[in-house]
Amino acid sequence: MRTDECLAALAEHRTAEVVIASMTSAVRWPAYSDHPRDLIYVPSTMGGAPSLGLGLALARPDLRVVVLNGDGSMLMSLGSLVTIGEQAPPNLVLVVFDNGMYAVTGGQPTPGAGQVDFASMALAARWPITHRFSQLGEWAEALPGLLRAEGPAFVQLTVEPEPTSITAPPVPMSERLTKLLAALD
Amino acid sequence: MPTIDLAGIAAQLQACGITHMVWIPDSEMGGLEAHLDPSIRLVRACREGEAIAIAAGLMLGGARPAVVIQCTGFFEAGDAFRNVAKDLGLPLFLLIGHRNRTAFLEGRSKDSAAKHLQAVLGAWELEYIALEPGGDPAVIGELYARSQGSGSAAAVIVAE
Ligand SMILES: Cc1ncc(C[n+]2csc(CCOP(=O)(O)OP(=O)(O)O)c2C)c(N)n1
């Protein structure tokens, strides 16, 4: 399945969730969503999106937070799976797009490309909900439940490798944050 | 020799209205956890870069976190600091244990972690003050108020 198809399915089911999009997802998500609760996280700190989502989920248990992450970024902060497993925010969903590559830097293979079982790592870190999908239909079917589930919920999506490039959105980060914060009230 | 006033530091965090302490301990500040008011939620991170990103999310959600780490961890967390303080422009507040500061200043240590911290803080243009042994922890409250007022990151370096 393709990253774009997965994002389109998410956009279809998403209602009031905060969506933090990083790496390829940050590039492609705006094609499917222009919601005030979107955070296109560019520039970012690579590996930081799940932790940013954790902080927001802890501070605002009334919100639901969905983080879209790359596999290379997940590898860079594997410990954050353990931190989130311990804090166990029920309102956090972390989606890892496993394309087996660093897509935005030209498509170089990640360590262990395509062979890393992130979902089992999340399970081992005591996440109550973990999934690994490689079929679009499975992902689309699971989405409504996942967005309401008592999490934290982890999803590994095995997607086609598609190199891309990343540039910061034209709207400055300060303006994007102001818009997001207003939408969180 | 005076030691770190952990109870005083914990009292300052509480007085500042800190809601979350995101941390990785070191041997000198490690005892802080025992003094922490139960109203402050402890978040144990695995890496300091993670701690800083967690604090950023907490701030976006309206919480008042403090990140408590050793200077070694601050070196490790450079990119997270850059993103949170500079790109996101959030008033990140840090307590940084300055390993071997006192011994270094007295010429008894050559610890590279002690030697380079202030140059690194300077390079980041990060406002900081040092809490020396026997110093008044009230500087924490003063700097926190200033940083939240100005909307800029700040750090207290705690001499170890
Ligand atoms: C700390 C750090 N190291 C390296 C980079 C360079 N870099 C930017 S994006 C990227 C690849 C991200 O890969 P992944 O998370 O798998 O997402 P994808 O590009 O596949 O969507 C790298 C290595 C960086 N920005 N920060």
Side-chain angles (χ1 to χ4, degrees):
Chain A
M1 59 186 170
R2 297 188 58 200
T3 297
D4 270 69
E5 296 171 322
C6 296
L7 292 174
L10 174 62
E12 211 169 289
H13 291 282
R14 185 267 192 100
T15 51
E17 296 84 0
V18 176
V19 175
I20 299 173
S22 67
M23 301 302 171
T24 295
S25 299
V27 181
R28 301 301 309 151
W29 182 241
Y32 303 99
S33 171
D34 179 24
H35 193 288
R37 287 188 173 176
D38 287 339
L39 176 62
I40 303 304
Y41 187 30
V42 183
S44 68
T45 175
M46 183 174 168
S51 306
L52 193 75
L54 168 63
L56 182 56
L58 289 177
R60 290 290 303 269
D62 57 312
L63 297 173
R64 296 197 59 92
V65 180
V66 179
V67 175
L68 310 179
N69 205 21
D71 55 331
S73 300
M74 194 69 252
L75 289 170
M76 196 171 270
S77 59
L78 282 175
S80 64
L81 291 177
V82 178
T83 308
I84 296 170
E86 175 170 82
Q87 293 297 322
N91 52 337
L92 181 69
V93 180
L94 171 57
V95 184
V96 172
F97 288 81
D98 182 12
N99 56 12
M101 60 163 55
Y102 296 123
V104 305
T105 54
Q108 306 85 352
T110 45
Q115 296 178 339
V116 181
D117 190 344
F118 291 103
S120 291
M121 289 183 181
L123 183 68
R126 303 166 58 110
W127 287 55
I129 300 171
T130 61
H131 293 284
R132 188 176 181 180
F133 298 129
S134 53
Q135 301 299 321
L136 183 62
E138 295 172 343
W139 163 237
E141 200 179 314
L143 262 166
L146 275 169
L147 295 177
R148 280 171 202 80
E150 184 81 359
F154 181 93
V155 184
Q156 175 178 2
L157 298 177
T158 306
V159 293
E160 286 176 28
E162 297 179 83
T164 181
S165 60
I166 198 165
T167 45
V171 180
M173 180 58 96
S174 56
E175 275 178 45
R176 275 179 275 152
L177 285 182
T178 305
K179 187 174 154 204
L180 174 69
L181 293 181
L184 299 186
D185 278 346
Chain B
M1 211 172 82
T3 51
I4 300 178
D5 178 5
L6 294 172
I9 293 175
Q12 283 294 313
L13 294 178
Q14 193 188 354
C16 291
I18 294 297
T19 55
H20 298 76
M21 179 169 105
V22 193
W23 90 324
I24 296 183
D26 66 14
S27 32
E28 304 285 329
M29 299 252 272
L32 189 56
E33 187 174 334
H35 293 277
L36 210 59
D37 188 85
S39 66
I40 299 179
R41 179 163 175 173
L42 194 69
V43 182
R44 303 176 205 283
C46 300
R47 288 178 62 202
E48 287 81 359
E50 211 194 288
I52 288 176
I54 293 168
L58 285 164
M59 284 185 276
L60 291 179
R64 295 163 67 89
V67 172
V68 181
I69 54 179
Q70 195 181 51
C71 55
T72 48
F74 185 74
F75 300 139
E76 189 278 332
D79 189 60
F81 173 77
R82 178 199 58 72
N83 179 244
V84 170
K86 311 290 175 176
D87 298 341
L88 305 186
L90 296 173
L92 180 72
F93 190 71
L94 300 139
L95 290 188
I96 302 175
H98 192 175
R99 191 175 78 184
N100 286 326
R101 174 183 171 86
T102 308
F104 182 82
L105 292 177
E106 292 171 358
R108 293 181 286 108
S109 168
K110 291 191 186 323
D111 187 353
S112 59
K115 182 176 177 189
H116 294 287
L117 176 64
Q118 283 166 274
V120 171
L121 297 176
W124 285 123
E125 299 171 350
L126 173 60
E127 181 181 2
Y128 70 92
I129 48 168
L131 177 57
E132 306 292 358
D136 185 353
V139 294
I140 294 172
E142 289 158 19
L143 186 61
Y144 183 75
R146 204 153 68 235
S147 120
Q148 302 309 293
S150 67
S152 337
V156 175
I157 60 175
V158 181
E160 299 182 342

